[in-house]
Amino acid sequence: GQNIDQPTEMTATEGAIVQINCTYQTSGFNGLFWYQQHAGEAPTFLSYNVLDGLEEKGRFSSFLSRSKGYSYLLLKELQMKDSASYLCAVPTNAGKSTFGDGTTLTVKP
Amino acid sequence: GAGVSQSPSNKVTEKGKDVELRCDPISGHTALYWYRQSLGQGLEFLIYFQGNSAPDKSGLPSDRFSAERTGGSVSTLTIQRTQQEDSAVYLCASSLGGPNEKLFFGSGTQLSVL
């Protein structure tokens, strides 16, 4: 089965950098997704990692270590609009994604 | 359509009534998923359709829940004899299929059981 752990809540200051961690246990690894979900809205795709290392995409970067079962999402130059929940998800071989409970990030002025 | 479409956006029903929730996925997407999200919680997997394969129903919480997908496109999630604990946002997503394909979500149906 799949097991995913993320911190429940985080708070950071506008303009700062924040790292949101995700640890996972899975019977077969097929990559790891990060999604962003603003309050009252549907989740939207942020990143996908299948190889070890850091993937950078503008202010957002995602890191993966398969040997450690660990990923993080790095948000730089935080903006108020980055306040949202960040969901870590791992798919099975068949493509079914299991989601973590999400990390609610609050960005303060 | 351009995205995943769900209807209704809101549904209020009385305990014991049946409800049907509809999802229209992105054209060409072979995979369709239903998730449930209670307030402040993560996404709970319900059911997954992939092409012509038998659906993965392992997440359905009870036999009151069922879903079908007609013609490999539109899907309907049916909840019979609704209970108050069924109140949640029901999210549908679709993808091109395969483990490396990202999910596109609809805006969800907010179900309230009184």
Side-chain angles (χ1 to χ4, degrees):
Chain A
Q2 325 272 92
N3 189 41
I4 302 171
D5 287 309
Q6 303 179 236
T8 303
E9 296 179 335
M10 297 185 73
T11 302
T13 305
E14 192 175 15
I17 298 173
V18 70
Q19 178 176 312
I20 302 174
N21 297 325
C22 170
T23 58
Y24 63 89
Q25 294 175 313
T26 179
S27 53
F29 186 71
N30 296 284
L32 185 144
F33 289 89
W34 284 96
Y35 290 84
Q36 180 190 56
Q37 185 178 27
H38 284 102
E41 298 182 10
T44 55
F45 168 79
L46 282 179
S47 66
Y48 173 68
N49 293 67
V50 66
L51 299 176
D52 289 349
L54 189 68
E55 296 265 351
E56 298 188 66
K57 193 185 297 185
R59 293 189 300 113
F60 290 14
S61 302
S62 54
F63 172 84
L64 176 68
S65 169
R66 289 173 293 174
S67 62
K68 295 181 179 178
Y70 168 68
S71 174
Y72 67 72
L73 185 67
L74 193 70
L75 289 71
K76 303 176 187 176
E77 302 168 18
L78 279 173
Q79 302 176 9
M80 299 298 289
K81 67 179 182 179
D82 297 330
S83 292
S85 285
Y86 292 86
L87 305 166
C88 175
V90 290
T92 65
N93 287 335
K96 180 183 93 176
S97 278
T98 298
F99 284 79
D101 287 340
T103 299
T104 299
L105 173 66
T106 301
V107 180
K108 296 186 173 179
Chain B
V4 178
S5 178
Q6 290 189 247
S7 61
S9 55
N10 281 282
K11 176 72 176 178
V12 180
T13 189
E14 294 179 350
K15 177 181 173 181
K17 300 286 189 183
D18 297 352
V19 295
E20 284 191 352
L21 313 180
R22 176 188 168 102
C23 174
D24 201 342
I26 293 172
S27 178
H29 279 192
T30 59
L32 186 147
Y33 312 73
W34 284 98
Y35 289 88
R36 177 168 73 173
Q37 188 173 36
S38 300
L39 190 63
Q41 302 297 310
L43 274 65
E44 175 189 4
F45 168 78
L46 296 177
I47 188 168
Y48 164 55
F49 297 88
Q50 171 54 56
N52 295 320
S53 302
D56 180 342
K57 304 179 181 181
S58 60
L60 294 178
S62 77
D63 59 8
R64 296 187 295 106
F65 288 72
S66 63
E68 63 177 21
R69 188 179 185 190
T70 54
S73 180
V74 172
S75 176
T76 302
L77 177 69
T78 301
I79 308 174
Q80 296 179 309
R81 305 180 302 282
T82 52
Q83 303 294 313
Q84 289 183 332
E85 61 262 30
D86 299 335
S87 296
V89 175
Y90 289 80
L91 289 165
C92 176
S94 70
S95 79
L96 290 170
N100 61 336
E101 296 292 342
K102 62 186 176 186
L103 274 59
F104 293 81
F105 285 85
S107 297
T109 294
Q110 172 72 63
L111 175 66
S112 300
V113 182
L114 304 180

